[in-house]
Amino acid sequence: PFTVSVILYSALKRRKMKITANNLEINYRLDGPEHGPAVMFSTSLMSNYSMWDGQMAALTDTFRVLSYDQRGHGGTETTPGPYTIELLAEDAAALLEALGIEAVHFIGLSMGGFTAQMLATLYPEKVKSLCLCDTACIMGPKSLWNERIDNARSGGLEALVAGTLERWFTPPFHTTGADQLEVVREMILGTGVDGYIGCAEAIRDMDICGNLRKIAAPTLVLVGEGDPACTVEAAEVLHQGISHSQLVIIPEAAHLPNIEQRDRFNELLVNFLKQQQ
């Protein structure tokens, strides 16, 4: 069902476009009613905006949905490093300005969640609300990231894909969701090495926990109960640090609950967004 819905959505509704913002050619798409409340999706490491295809049908009847590929990922330009989380937030802010969108409900997963936290800190006027999905404010140890970066340099993303899929989905889903995993595998392998390394270095070096108290936007923190990367404990740190936040733990999901538990994820997201109207 997921694969079929993605194909149908891609064929019938998607409008892919590129624009230059922050001296970067950004690949993005806009869906839903032109004057609907604006929602913006930001992606994880090794992903492109197709990772959010399972959310589109739930949102695009009501909301104007902006999705984009992060720097060095998908169809967005890869620039020389180093990258920082601040730079990724500047990309998102510049994209909004280039499109003439004043403020959005911003949804980010993992690296997209790091971007979300920084955007809400640096550009609070652009953020109506936040949904922080399977993310954190610090991602150690640095030695782990150095090892992954070295593996990518020597073996490409092929050297990382098996371990990534193991972290991103629970063991049962590797059987029940085999078709979806194959789609995600191709998305990971479609990521360029230089873009991966630039963003991985930004993640390795970030410590944005001091920003949490500065975030004023209403915030929903979502996390898969079995996420080994951005854990429930990391989500609790976000919830405790952000004053206007609520935390929901999604059972039977790991790092990508928007895929593994799509219906539950969509229900939580839509209910939260409606509360902000």
Side-chain angles (χ1 to χ4, degrees), residues 3-256:
T3 304
V4 171
S5 69
V6 168
I7 292 171
L8 289 175
Y9 184 85
S10 300
L12 297 177
K13 288 191 174 182
R14 180 176 298 163
R15 293 194 293 127
K16 297 192 293 184
M17 292 160 282
K18 291 193 177 185
I19 195 169
T20 298
N22 204 26
N23 298 312
L24 179 73
E25 187 177 62
I26 299 177
N27 188 48
Y28 74 99
R29 75 185 189 211
L30 276 168
D31 299 280
E34 184 174 353
H35 299 293
V39 170
M40 186 172 183
F41 281 107
S42 188
T43 61
S44 72
L45 188 65
M46 295 182 285
S47 298
N48 59 55
Y49 62 40
S50 70
M51 68 169 284
W52 297 111
D53 278 350
Q55 282 58 68
M56 293 299 157
L59 294 181
T60 50
D61 284 345
T62 302
F63 296 95
R64 182 65 161 169
V65 180
L66 169 62
S67 305
Y68 75 105
D69 292 334
Q70 295 248 40
R71 182 178 292 251
H73 285 65
T76 291
E77 182 182 1
T78 301
T79 59
Y83 300 173
T84 63
I85 301 303
E86 289 86 350
L87 178 63
L88 301 183
E90 289 167 6
D91 292 343
L95 177 58
L96 289 174
E97 290 181 6
L99 294 174
I101 301 173
E102 291 186 3
V104 294
H105 302 282
F106 196 94
I107 301 143
L109 190 148
S110 194
M111 183 172 73
F114 312 149
T115 304
Q117 294 168 62
M118 188 59 70
L119 183 72
T121 302
L122 297 178
Y123 305 94
E125 72 283 359
K126 295 187 181 299
V127 178
K128 294 181 179 179
S129 72
L130 287 178
C131 183
L132 302 178
C133 314
D134 292 81
T135 191
C137 57
I138 190 168
M139 288 291 291
K142 290 192 175 185
S143 59
L144 180 148
W145 288 100
N146 288 333
E147 180 181 356
R148 291 177 183 171
I149 289 165
D150 289 342
N151 288 340
R153 283 198 178 104
S154 61
L157 273 293
E158 292 85 354
L160 302 177
V161 67
T164 299
L165 290 174
E166 184 178 350
R167 292 190 303 274
W168 281 9
F169 299 100
T170 63
F173 196 72
H174 281 257
T175 299
T176 61
D179 290 344
Q180 292 96 312
L181 260 71
E182 189 56 35
V183 173
V184 174
R185 179 190 301 275
E186 292 303 314
M187 178 177 66
I188 293 169
L189 293 175
T191 304
V193 170
D194 289 343
Y196 169 81
I197 290 174
C199 287
E201 288 174 339
I203 295 167
R204 177 196 64 190
D205 297 338
M206 79 171 187
D207 182 352
I208 53 178
C209 297
N211 290 351
L212 299 181
R213 60 184 174 80
K214 302 175 185 177
I215 296 175
T219 301
L220 173 63
V221 180
L222 295 178
V223 61
E225 185 177 33
D227 190 344
C230 296
T231 62
V232 170
E233 290 75 17
E236 289 172 342
V237 171
L238 299 178
H239 173 49
Q240 292 164 9
I242 300 172
S243 57
H244 302 289
S245 68
Q246 53 185 295
L247 169 64
V248 180
I249 300 168
I250 302 177
E252 300 179 15
H255 193 55
L256 267 63

